[in-house]
């Protein structure tokens, strides 16, 4: 049950961090063909990034370094998925392979057997 809770929290954290960064990106740069969408998008992104920071503290493991290191794998894979859904990004086999390797690393760091 702790693994399921942890996985859900990682996904939620990724939603807020990647979504927040995406909102800031949109606020500053827009779709790349013209100026950004403005301060409301940037402000919403900053709020989402703050929520991400809070969600990360809810992980059942109390080790900051382990949680953030493991979360890195979720961030990598989540960023690819976000790009597909939000921007129509088409990942190639190297993107997918890298994301899968990152998720394996996350699993080892977060859920690997420990002798204590």
């Amino acid at each position: 049950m702790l693994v399921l809770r942890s996985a859900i929290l990682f996904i939620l954290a990724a939603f807020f961090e990647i979504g927040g960064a995406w909102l800031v990106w949109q606020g500053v740069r827009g779709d790349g063909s013209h100026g950004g969408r403005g301060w409301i998008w940037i402000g919403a992104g900053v709020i989402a990034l703050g929520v991400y920071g809070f969600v990360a503290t809810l992980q059942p493991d109390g080790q900051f370094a382990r949680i953030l290191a493991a979360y890195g794998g979720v961030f990598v894979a989540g960023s690819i998925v976000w790009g597909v859904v939000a921007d129509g990004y088409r990942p190639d086999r190297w993107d997918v392979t890298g994301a899968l390797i990152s998720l394996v690393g996350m699993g080892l760091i977060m859920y690997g057997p420990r002798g204590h």
Side-chain angles (χ1 to χ4, degrees):
M1 193 64 171
L2 284 179
V3 172
L4 179 60
R5 176 178 177 224
S6 174
I8 290 169
L9 287 169
F10 275 136
I11 292 167
L12 192 59
F15 175 80
F16 283 109
E17 184 182 21
I18 298 164
W22 184 82
L23 286 167
V24 171
W25 179 280
Q26 293 300 314
V28 173
R29 296 184 61 162
D31 65 6
S33 64
H34 52 77
R37 296 182 176 176
W39 286 103
I40 291 175
W41 286 68
I42 295 168
V46 168
I47 290 168
L49 288 165
V51 172
Y52 148 73
F54 178 76
V55 170
T57 69
L58 301 175
Q59 281 288 344
D61 189 303
Q63 299 297 319
F64 174 80
R66 180 176 297 137
I67 301 236
L68 235 30
Y71 172 69
V74 176
F75 179 82
V76 169
S79 295
I80 298 288
V81 171
W82 189 281
V84 168
V85 172
D87 291 328
Y89 178 69
R90 295 266 195 249
D92 62 21
R93 67 180 179 204
W94 300 110
D95 294 325
V96 173
T97 301
L100 291 172
I101 290 169
S102 296
L103 288 174
V104 168
M106 179 277 296
L108 292 171
I109 292 168
M110 194 66 192
Y111 310 120
R114 296 198 157 65
H116 52 84

